[in-house]
């Protein structure tokens, strides 16, 4: 018989929690599908990146994963990325479902920067175990950098490096 532990004061991303059933050895396992995702920032608007969760094992029950961004990433919430309005912080697997995605909006901040990162973790789960791939990192590659041509050389007798110094999309 499952054990219920009430957690009346716990909140994850603004979602109040009232209790979880502790998963047993026969319950499914939820994991991120990969350790790292990559996305290119856009100069002109929002880019959406899907992150995938997988569920293995017994798929006959409804399971939920509660997701949380990990603090300390170099990408800033609200400037470099945001959750779409449809994001709730929880991903629900209905009976028979083994793959689910959630979307992150990547924002164009107009700044020349190095690659930035956001990490997410599965903070808890209902009716499921948390798998070994319990976190993932999203790398955001900058669109506003000075050098848009990565095929350049530096050395004696080599002409000057070309770059998009005024962000007009052309090499100056």
């Amino acid at each position: 018989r499952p054990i219920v532990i009430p957690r009346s004061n716990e909140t994850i991303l603004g979602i109040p929690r009232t209790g979880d059933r502790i998963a047993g050895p026969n319950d499914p396992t939820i994991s991120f599908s990969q350790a790292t995702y990559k996305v290119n920032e856009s100069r002109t608007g929002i880019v959406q990146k899907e992150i995938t969760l997988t569920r293995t094992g017994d798929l006959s029950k409804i399971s939920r994963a509660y997701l949380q961004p990990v603090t300390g990433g170099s990408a800033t919430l609200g400037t470099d990325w945001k959750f779409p309005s449809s994001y709730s912080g929880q991903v629900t697997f209905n009976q028979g479902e083994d793959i689910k995605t959630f979307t992150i909006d990547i924002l164009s901040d107009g700044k020349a920067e190095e690659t930035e990162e956001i990490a997410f973790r599965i903070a808890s789960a209902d009716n499921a175990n948390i798998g070994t791939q319990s976190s993932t990192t999203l790398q955001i590659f900058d669109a506003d950098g000075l050098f848009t041509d990565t095929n350049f050389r530096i050395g004696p007798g080599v002409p000057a490096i070309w770059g998009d110094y005024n962000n007009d999309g052309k090499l100056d």
Side-chain angles (χ1 to χ4, degrees):
R1 186 165 248 259
I3 302 170
V4 176
I5 300 176
R7 298 185 192 179
S8 58
N9 296 328
E10 184 178 349
T11 301
I12 296 178
L13 292 178
I15 301 168
R17 306 280 305 285
T18 56
D20 291 335
R21 187 181 75 76
I22 295 178
N26 297 324
D27 285 321
T29 299
I30 298 175
S31 298
F32 285 101
S33 67
Q34 54 193 77
T36 306
Y37 290 84
K38 298 176 182 185
V39 64
N40 292 317
E41 181 182 80
S42 169
R43 287 187 177 185
T44 59
I46 294 174
V47 174
Q48 291 191 318
K49 182 64 178 177
E50 284 190 344
I51 308 293
T52 303
L53 292 154
T54 60
R55 183 172 71 149
T56 58
D58 180 2
L59 308 181
S60 65
K61 301 174 192 164
I62 294 174
S63 299
R64 287 182 186 82
Y66 298 91
L67 308 176
Q68 185 175 48
V70 178
T71 58
S74 55
T76 304
L77 176 62
T79 303
D80 297 307
W81 67 280
K82 69 175 185 162
F83 292 111
S85 58
S86 61
Y87 182 80
S88 68
Q90 94 179 17
V91 175
T92 301
F93 288 86
N94 291 313
Q95 291 177 332
E97 292 181 325
D98 60 350
I99 295 175
K100 282 291 198 173
T101 60
F102 68 97
T103 304
I104 301 298
D105 289 343
I106 306 304
L107 309 175
S108 177
D109 60 9
K111 296 178 185 175
E113 316 167 288
E114 293 184 14
T115 300
E116 296 177 296
E117 294 184 343
I118 317 160
F120 297 94
R121 72 184 186 98
I122 302 171
S124 65
D126 291 338
N127 293 325
N129 295 292
I130 298 172
T132 55
Q133 189 62 58
S134 62
S135 65
T136 191
T137 300
L138 174 59
Q139 295 179 330
I140 304 170
F141 294 96
D142 189 51
D144 303 302
L146 291 177
F147 301 109
T148 58
D149 181 7
T150 58
N151 297 314
F152 61 87
R153 297 174 292 156
I154 300 175
V158 176
I161 299 171
W162 295 347
D164 183 6
Y165 297 101
N166 60 2
N167 283 331
D168 65 356
K170 300 175 189 171
L171 294 178
D172 301 322

